[in-house]
Amino acid sequence: MTVHKFIRKLLRLKDLSVTGFEFRFRDKELRLWVKPHKNGCLCPECRRRGRIIRTMEYRVWQDIPICGWSIVFHYCPKEILCRRHGRVQELIPWAEAYARVTYRFEYGMLLYCQLMPQKAAAKILHVPPSTLSDQLHRTIGRLRDGHRIRDLKTMGIDEISYCKGRKYATVVYDLDRSCVVWVGRGKGRETIDQFFNEVLSGYQKNKIQWACCDMSQTYIGAIEEHCPKATLVLDRFHIVKALNDAVDEVRKEQWREASDHERKTLKGLRWLLFKHSAHRSKKDSRILNALRKGNHRIHRAWVLKDEFEHFWEYGAPWAAERFVKHWSTAALKSRLEPIRTFVKILRKHLHRILPFIEKTITNAKAEGLNRIIRLVKNRASGFRSLPAFIDMIFLSVGDLNLPAQIPAKFRMV
Ligand SMILES: [Zn+2]
């Protein structure tokens, strides 16, 4: 076995021959002179052999590092004349036409970036973090280019913050498949209109059967306009949150009016009031029950909040509707202003909440995805630019499995 063949076997290089090598000890770099194996001079479009016109400039490709050595390929691609496609650059079997890294490097990069912060991935791959970020953007852009949303039946819309909570992006989910299908800049009507007008066709919009969003008029209006056939379901998570906020408002009111002595009993209540009854300990219940004598108004608000939990357990819409009727009468009698405001919202949106009973869809899956997105965001200690953030969203929870888009024989690290 010749040394060149040995190197090729050892590094498991596919579709290429090694014609020379050089170790650069100072840069910890192994330079390999390579050429396409057997079938050189192929047209990238039709894979037919063409006549060589000229040898192009020297190019280098970075491969994944091995045992601390950075591996760099050197080759002068040929310009060939294809009978059908004219003058073209020959097919480079180990990399995408104009990429500066090999397929194998791209695969490693996608895999590592899914698992760890980009800084760590950059260290493993022997590149500066900024280069990695650029490279990642280019690769993901190319792999997602031409990708279409397919079979969207249950969609969820939500907003997500980036840049330390100063800026917002709108995220569209496919709730059947639990993945992100689209991300757009901003959280206004323009953004969501852009999704419906530019990304979805009329046929696709008609195919959407269920849509889930929060109570903002922006999203409700957009969905009702663009997807007339979809049943709109308001997200359970956001409704529960609105009620919790109302209860908290009552607590704050009482806190402001309380004397120093009374404040002692109200301390530490905030999170206790939010807790779902199923997650409460005996001690928690004791503290809350003691409120009946301690602070009647907070107690009343808490009891109402607790009772409302039953709403989500109903099996029939008519029964749920009857429950809401009774509950809101009781809530209005409570004379707690924040709760009364909540009742008004509830009554206004009731026809959009009841479908939940029929089909238990919520953005719960979306919330799960959001959690992953937040994790990605924290791992990178916040994203300044939206494109970099979108890259990571698509890489971790996108509708296209990105590492699987690299040709199978190069999927090794
Ligand atoms: Zn051709």
Side-chain angles (χ1 to χ4, degrees):
M1 193 187 279
T2 63
V3 180
H4 292 164
K5 200 166 177 190
F6 172 73
I7 291 175
R8 187 160 66 88
K9 286 255 190 246
L10 182 70
L11 301 182
R12 297 178 72 182
L13 303 173
K14 302 275 167 75
D15 294 343
L16 59 84
S17 328
V18 178
T19 56
F21 65 92
E22 182 194 353
F23 283 100
R24 307 273 293 203
F25 288 94
R26 195 188 288 164
D27 311 327
K28 286 188 185 152
E29 191 178 283
L30 168 58
R31 296 187 170 181
L32 293 178
W33 276 264
V34 297
K35 66 174 183 130
H37 190 49
K38 286 180 193 161
N39 305 318
C41 309
L42 296 188
C43 165
E45 303 282 331
C46 59
R47 313 240 157 188
R48 273 195 215 140
R49 196 177 274 268
R51 187 164 58 80
I52 298 176
I53 299 176
R54 69 181 178 107
T55 304
M56 295 162 80
E57 276 170 26
Y58 231 83
R59 279 181 56 195
V60 292
W61 291 264
Q62 184 150 17
D63 196 19
I64 46 169
I66 290 159
C67 302
W69 291 102
S70 302
I71 307 227
V72 180
F73 293 178
H74 289 244
Y75 178 61
C76 300
K78 310 277 187 286
E79 193 177 34
I80 58 164
L81 187 69
C82 170
R83 272 189 217 162
R84 221 197 291 164
H85 299 99
R87 290 170 73 133
V88 283
Q89 178 192 271
E90 70 171 326
L91 178 78
I92 308 286
W94 57 83
E96 192 60 30
Y98 297 100
R100 277 176 263 158
V101 295
T102 61
Y103 282 128
R104 212 153 65 152
F105 183 96
E106 286 183 330
Y107 180 70
M109 176 178 66
L110 294 172
L111 211 62
Y112 291 148
C113 288
Q114 273 180 340
L115 299 171
M116 57 185 88
Q118 285 188 14
K119 246 187 199 165
K123 206 162 194 178
I124 292 181
L125 290 167
H126 292 196
V127 287
S130 57
T131 315
L132 183 91
S133 168
D134 286 349
Q135 194 57 53
L136 193 67
H137 185 63
R138 224 169 294 146
T139 305
I140 292 178
R142 194 191 78 226
L143 295 178
R144 285 193 63 86
D145 189 33
H147 172 71
R148 307 271 311 165
I149 295 172
R150 258 182 254 154
D151 229 14
L152 183 62
K153 287 198 191 103
T154 311
M155 66 178 285
I157 306 178
D158 209 351
E159 67 200 28
I160 186 152
S161 70
Y162 66 100
C163 198
K164 291 177 186 154
R166 285 196 297 263
K167 291 178 185 171
Y168 285 90
T170 299
V171 183
V172 179
Y173 303 95
D174 181 336
L175 294 178
D176 291 325
R177 289 199 195 91
S178 323
C179 58
V180 171
V181 292
W182 189 79
V183 186
R185 191 185 290 273
K187 58 169 181 175
R189 180 67 194 259
E190 273 170 39
T191 312
I192 197 68
D193 275 348
Q194 189 194 351
F195 170 71
F196 282 118
N197 293 333
E198 293 171 21
V199 182
L200 290 191
S201 65
Y203 175 78
Q204 279 176 313
K205 283 189 244 180
N206 276 333
K207 275 275 181 185
I208 296 172
Q209 291 166 357
W210 300 89
C212 190
C213 66
D214 63 11
M215 282 172 285
S216 82
Q217 200 52 48
T218 326
Y219 293 155
I220 294 176
I223 291 172
E224 284 181 345
E225 190 188 317
H226 290 285
C227 317
K229 287 190 183 162
T231 310
L232 189 71
V233 188
L234 292 186
D235 183 27
R236 171 180 171 170
F237 175 87
H238 283 103
I239 294 161
V240 171
K241 188 172 173 291
L243 181 54
N244 279 343
D245 288 347
V247 173
D248 198 41
E249 202 49 53
V250 175
R251 183 191 65 84
K252 278 188 206 153
E253 247 170 40
Q254 294 301 305
W255 177 267
R256 279 193 292 269
E257 289 168 11
S259 63
D260 285 350
H261 176 68
E262 283 167 329
R263 278 186 184 186
K264 266 182 199 163
T265 54
L266 298 182
K267 235 175 192 170
L269 268 182
R270 185 158 183 234
W271 299 110
L272 213 55
L273 288 169
F274 290 174
K275 260 191 190 170
H276 191 275
S277 59
H279 304 305
R280 260 198 316 258
S281 67
K282 273 186 184 163
K283 191 184 160 205
D284 296 341
S285 303
R286 218 175 309 134
I287 297 172
L288 289 166
N289 282 323
L291 276 178
R292 190 203 290 262
K293 284 179 192 152
N295 190 306
H296 188 69
R297 284 173 75 84
I298 299 183
H299 183 262
R300 185 91 191 92
W302 166 65
V303 169
L304 282 168
K305 185 222 119 189
D306 234 26
E307 279 172 359
F308 194 74
E309 281 172 12
H310 295 297
F311 172 76
W312 309 105
E313 287 153 22
Y314 279 94
W318 62 267
E321 194 171 356
R322 198 183 52 188
F323 169 83
V324 170
K325 220 178 229 172
H326 289 306
W327 184 87
S328 35
T329 319
L332 288 177
K333 274 186 194 157
S334 71
R335 283 173 310 196
L336 300 166
E337 207 42 54
I339 301 277
R340 289 165 76 121
T341 318
F342 173 78
V343 171
K344 271 176 216 154
I345 298 172
L346 186 71
R347 284 187 169 166
K348 184 179 155 202
H349 291 297
L350 191 60
H351 64 289
R352 297 188 185 115
I353 300 171
L354 285 175
F356 172 87
I357 304 297
E358 244 174 282
K359 182 180 160 90
T360 323
I361 68 159
T362 55
N363 265 348
K365 276 181 186 166
E367 287 305 322
L369 296 172
N370 260 346
R371 214 169 27 242
I372 301 174
I373 294 175
R374 267 199 300 276
L375 200 77
V376 165
K377 196 168 71 175
N378 294 341
R379 210 159 60 180
S381 36
F383 281 93
R384 298 272 166 75
S385 82
L386 186 60
F389 190 28
I390 293 180
D391 284 343
M392 285 313 293
I393 292 176
F394 279 136
L395 188 56
S396 16
V397 284
D399 55 341
L400 188 67
N401 182 355
L402 290 167
Q405 304 306 309
I406 302 287
K409 58 181 162 185
F410 296 107
R411 275 183 238 151
M412 52 174 156
V413 286

